[in-house]
Amino acid sequence: MLANDKGVNHGVAPVTYGQGDRPPRGDYATAREDYTCEQNWSAYTPAEHDLYRRLYERQASQLDGLACDEFIDAVRHLGAPDRIPRFDELSESLYQRTKWEVVAVPGLIPEEAFFSLLARRKFPVTGWLRKPEEFDYIVEPDVFHDLFGHVPLLFNPVFADYMQAYGAGGMKASRLDACELLARLYWYTVEFGLIHTPKGIRAYGAGILSSAGELRYSVRSPEPSRVGFDLQRMMRSRYKIDTYQATYFVIESFQQLFDATAPDFTPIYQAVRQKEEIEAGAVLPGEKLYSADSGTN
């Protein structure tokens, strides 16, 4: 994550990913030094609440047979879909179950701020909502993506612990100049992860679950590669940011995901750096592949 040079109040600067001409969204002047801010729920308009409702209903209608049961069971905790949830109310419910909280941020935040919040069991959620013309696709994560895609699985104790462990690992990765390698792990698990279940392949990644088209594509399409979970393989693999993924990685359980964060990553980073990067969509000899789900339960 690259922060712009021009600062705002409290020394907090807007943040962008990569290169682009469009300035970052969000009011960074209201952010604290850790990039958290107040949600300002009263500022949402009736039209925005209605847009959130339509986004929610569209995605919820697609979950059956495509999303993992853990997500389907937990999404109800977001509350009534007819309005954008109040973060403080959602945090009360979440904290009772897994000791996590939801905190508002103005938009994208620096890596170290993000890792620090996760390590303290605080999940940053963007305060603003996309425009109506972005109903089908948005470049940056908004309040709908963060809430609908990420928060439900934080009600799952094992996945919640994985997210905290990831945050703690990120703090160390920053000191080891290994953030890019850890970002690939996040991308291929938290954002675009698949899980093998007794019912078939199902999605658990937030980027998939909040997408209008990628949910069905990731589970049912014969086009992408679905590769068995392999930590070093994921850290070596490039990914797509402007199209559906060419490769998805499949876990067998959330416990497998949590266990993968337990070892010291220092020697793993060293081993990965000794090997070539892998292009998105590539299939290596001998690796475990999963077929697209047939759509039958």
Side-chain angles (χ1 to χ4, degrees):
M1 301 182 188
L2 302 176
N4 291 348
D5 292 332
K6 185 178 179 181
V8 291
N9 291 357
H10 311 296
V12 173
V15 176
T16 59
Y17 282 107
Q19 298 178 339
D21 296 327
R22 192 181 67 188
R25 302 195 209 183
D27 184 4
Y28 287 80
T30 66
R32 307 177 184 96
E33 290 186 0
D34 66 353
Y35 279 84
T36 63
C37 59
E38 298 301 319
Q39 182 188 17
N40 194 15
W41 189 86
S42 62
Y44 295 123
T45 66
E48 287 177 317
H49 286 299
D50 185 64
L51 177 58
Y52 175 87
R53 175 192 62 78
R54 292 189 292 118
L55 287 164
Y56 187 110
E57 291 180 349
R58 178 183 64 179
Q59 290 307 112
S61 69
Q62 299 185 66
L63 296 179
D64 188 38
L66 296 174
C68 65
D69 288 343
E70 292 87 347
F71 182 88
I72 293 174
D73 292 342
V75 74
R76 60 183 175 82
H77 292 303
L78 294 179
D82 60 344
R83 63 181 177 87
I84 299 169
R86 294 179 181 269
F87 292 178
D88 54 354
E89 294 178 354
L90 185 57
S91 289
E92 288 182 11
S93 177
L94 183 58
Y95 190 84
Q96 289 178 2
R97 289 167 174 80
T98 59
K99 306 301 183 185
W100 272 80
E101 299 174 79
V102 170
V103 294
V105 292
L108 298 173
I109 66 176
E111 289 169 334
E112 289 197 6
F114 179 69
F115 295 146
S116 177
L117 288 171
L118 293 187
R120 291 182 285 140
R121 297 179 89 89
K122 297 178 184 292
F123 191 82
V125 175
T126 302
W128 53 264
L129 181 68
R130 70 191 70 185
K131 302 297 184 183
E133 58 267 25
E134 298 171 306
F135 189 82
D136 291 324
Y137 177 75
I138 186 169
V139 176
E140 300 171 67
D142 68 342
V143 65
F144 176 75
H145 166 82
D146 285 342
L147 283 177
F148 189 92
H150 285 287
V151 173
L153 280 180
L154 291 175
F155 284 90
N156 179 280
V158 178
F159 191 83
D161 286 346
Y162 167 71
M163 290 294 289
Q164 182 185 27
Y166 180 89
M171 299 294 289
K172 184 174 182 179
S174 296
R175 299 191 297 269
L176 298 174
D177 194 26
C179 286
E180 181 179 358
L181 302 183
L182 201 63
R184 290 173 177 174
L185 174 62
Y186 189 89
W187 184 270
Y188 279 122
T189 59
V190 178
E191 291 290 356
F192 291 95
L194 298 177
I195 184 170
H196 181 229
T197 78
K199 298 178 181 179
I201 297 294
R202 295 292 184 268
Y204 72 89
I208 300 173
L209 292 164
S210 62
S211 168
E214 193 156 5
L215 180 54
R216 180 168 296 276
Y217 174 86
S218 66
V219 175
R220 299 275 170 83
S221 174
E223 294 182 19
S225 303
R226 297 174 182 84
V227 181
F229 180 89
D230 182 314
L231 184 61
Q232 291 194 30
R233 165 74 156 92
M234 296 163 85
M235 289 185 178
R236 294 171 58 201
S237 299
R238 295 178 178 175
Y239 53 79
K240 301 284 189 178
I241 63 171
D242 54 359
T243 66
Y244 293 163
Q245 297 305 298
T247 299
Y248 299 94
F249 288 89
V250 183
I251 61 173
E252 291 291 334
S253 68
F254 289 128
Q255 189 62 49
Q256 178 190 25
L257 195 57
F258 177 68
D259 291 344
T261 64
D264 178 7
F265 277 10
T266 303
I268 296 174
Y269 294 145
Q270 293 172 346
V272 169
R273 289 189 175 110
Q274 300 303 312
K275 301 177 182 178
E276 293 183 356
E277 293 188 333
I278 301 170
E279 293 298 327
V283 176
L284 304 184
E287 60 187 3
K288 184 176 183 179
L289 299 176
Y290 293 80
S291 300
D293 190 84
S294 64
T296 58
N297 292 327

